[in-house]
Amino acid sequence: MSTKTHYIDGDNYQLRQIIFANTPKAIQQCKSIAPKFKGATEMDTCRNIFDFLKNDVKYVADGSHQKVKLPSALLRERVGDCKSYSLFTGAILSNLGIPWKYVL
């Protein structure tokens, strides 16, 4: 699993473009781990993802130097913020066939 963090000191538009462009790669990276989050219902699955991020990944907001971490980097470093959390969550849900959308 390749690891990558994208660094960008851009505006929100540029950050969104980085997230959108890396969504397919994130989905691929999460293919093997997604089944670990599957619950009995979609709500259970979402709770499993939420609990994992809450309990196992430290939330640290980026300062002026913004980062977008692919799931491999998020899992390795166990630190991220809403951008990386969203990319991870969407990738897991995609692999489990659960519809989702980014909320901007």
Side-chain angles (χ1 to χ4, degrees), residues 36-52 93 96 98:
K36 297 175 185 175
F37 294 93
K38 184 148 181 67
T41 66
E42 286 184 1
M43 183 62 80
D44 291 339
T45 299
C46 291
R47 174 62 63 188
N48 292 342
I49 298 166
F50 175 85
D51 288 345
F52 171 77
L93 293 172
L96 296 176
I98 298 173

Side-chain angles (χ1 to χ4, degrees), residues 12 15-17 19-20 86 101-104:
N12 283 333
L15 287 168
R16 288 192 308 268
Q17 296 310 306
I19 292 168
F20 298 155
S86 296
K101 292 183 181 182
Y102 289 115
V103 176
L104 308 171

Side-chain angles (χ1 to χ4, degrees), residues 79-95:
V79 175
D81 73 355
C82 55
K83 298 177 300 297
S84 302
Y85 277 32
S86 296
L87 191 56
F88 176 84
T89 300
I92 296 293
L93 293 172
S94 286
N95 279 293

